[in-house]
Every structure is written in structure tokens, then in C-alpha cells.
Amino acid sequence: MERICNFLNKDDEFIENVYKSKSIDAELLLRWSKLLEYDFFRLYSSHLILYAPPSAVKKNQDQKKSDKIPYFRKNIYTQEIKDFIMKRILSGEMTYGEVIKEYSIPKSTLHRWLQKNNDNTNG
């Protein structure tokens, strides 16, 4: 606890309140990430990639390149996401079609992951 208090420059009571809180300020979360050497932001970006609502996907596809509204690129997958999805397929929990439909992963991308997985397993 002393190390945490010193690193964050806060007292014990503040740290206890952070543990009990439902949310945390982004700047404070960044400091926690540095202290614990763990990227807590990756949890949120992974969640966005897997669970973005279909309407957001459609909206992004309809936007013109000249629009100034930023959009989230769904074709960026972390290794953790790839492993999670591969585990679901290989365990029989989900079929290829279910993965493609639920997570909006292109068929070619999923095929590439499966090929790499087979190459790593066999070689």
C-alpha cells in the first residue's frame, strides 16, 4: 500500500476509495497501468472490437472518406482477441459462421488466423 500511495502521491483513504469505485478517471487509470505494468486500456479497446453494435459498423461503412467524424477501425485485432476467438472455434463452442456473424470478422481474416494456427501447431 505504501508503494501505491507513494507512486500515485495519494493517501490510503484515496486508494481505498478507488478500489471501491465503479469508475476511474483516465489519467488515474494510466498511472495504475504504469504502476502495475499492465495495459488496462487494452481491456476496453478489446471490448470495443468484439462488441461494437452492428449499427456502428453499418454507419462506418456508409461514411465517406471526406467526413471529419472519426470512426473506430474494426480490423485491428490484438493477439488476445485472436486467441479468444480461436479457442471458441477449436473447442466447438462456436462455429465459423457464428464467429463471423457475432463479431463481424471477415471470412478471409478468420481463415488466415486458422491457417496460422495450423502452421504453428504442425510446425
Side-chain angles (χ1 to χ4, degrees):
M1 180 64 102
E2 183 179 343
R3 179 175 174 243
I4 295 169
C5 291
N6 287 338
F7 186 84
L8 299 175
N9 199 22
K10 302 291 182 183
D11 60 16
D12 291 4
E13 184 179 349
F14 178 86
I15 302 303
E16 289 293 331
N17 288 335
V18 169
Y19 287 146
K20 295 174 185 175
S21 69
K22 289 185 178 185
S23 63
I24 186 170
D25 179 73
E27 184 178 344
L28 184 58
L29 184 61
L30 177 61
R31 302 228 354 119
W32 277 100
S33 293
K34 289 177 181 178
L35 173 67
L36 301 175
E37 297 178 7
Y38 183 80
D39 184 3
F40 289 105
F41 292 95
R42 181 172 285 197
L43 297 172
Y44 295 105
S45 60
S46 296
H47 179 84
L48 288 173
I49 290 169
L50 286 174
Y51 299 106
S55 61
V57 174
K58 176 84 168 115
K59 189 177 190 180
N60 289 342
Q61 291 171 348
D62 292 343
Q63 284 182 336
K64 295 180 180 107
K65 289 184 180 180
S66 63
D67 285 350
K68 296 188 186 218
I69 301 171
Y71 65 95
F72 189 75
R73 289 180 49 195
K74 287 185 59 97
N75 59 348
I76 301 173
Y77 302 99
T78 64
Q79 189 59 47
E80 290 85 359
I81 289 174
K82 292 177 188 178
D83 293 342
F84 171 77
I85 290 174
M86 293 303 299
K87 181 180 173 186
R88 294 192 85 179
I89 291 172
L90 296 174
S91 71
E93 189 177 340
M94 292 183 83
T95 66
Y96 302 132
E98 290 171 336
V99 168
I100 291 167
K101 184 178 178 183
E102 179 152 346
Y103 300 121
S104 300
I105 296 174
K107 189 176 183 179
S108 59
T109 301
L110 188 56
H111 177 72
R112 195 173 332 112
W113 294 353
L114 291 167
Q115 186 63 42
K116 285 183 182 179
N117 184 61
N118 288 339
D119 291 347
N120 291 339
T121 306
N122 297 330

